[in-house]
Amino acid sequence: MSVKKIPMRMCTACREMKPKRELVRVVKTPENEILLDLTGKLNGRGAYICKSAECLEKAEKSNALQRAFSCEVSKEIYERLKKELQTVE
């Protein structure tokens, strides 16, 4: 009997390792759009954050997403991510 391995990911804001299912993937698409990837299957560079508004705010303050995607992440993008995150919580 084999034990199923649980994929772990690190939240870019609080740096905590958690099971992938407990986190939300933020993706930078090849078209340089930054979106919340609820399916986990969108093409592009992914970064994970906890499903909490606190972690998103922490990521905004520490510029964690800018570092993860090596591009500028505007205030409007963070506002949109916050709105989308509220539907997930």
Side-chain angles (χ1 to χ4, degrees), residues 16-85:
E16 235 177 88
M17 289 297 282
K18 294 187 176 181
K20 192 173 157 183
R21 291 187 173 276
E22 288 179 23
L23 300 170
V24 173
R25 185 170 182 250
V26 181
V27 71
K28 178 185 168 196
T29 65
E31 294 80 40
N32 290 326
E33 274 187 289
I34 295 174
L35 312 164
L36 219 54
D37 180 13
L38 301 175
T39 62
K41 290 179 172 62
L42 285 177
N43 277 341
R45 175 97 174 104
Y48 291 85
I49 55 168
C50 298
K51 292 180 182 177
S52 71
E54 295 90 68
C55 269
L56 188 59
E57 282 168 28
K58 205 182 283 184
E60 187 175 2
K61 282 196 184 87
S62 65
N63 294 329
L65 292 178
Q66 272 96 314
R67 281 196 302 279
F69 300 135
S70 44
C71 78
E72 194 60 44
V73 180
S74 71
K75 204 114 181 97
E76 291 80 47
I77 291 171
Y78 278 111
E79 291 303 316
R80 196 184 69 232
L81 292 177
K82 277 181 197 150
K83 281 194 189 88
E84 289 178 34
L85 197 61

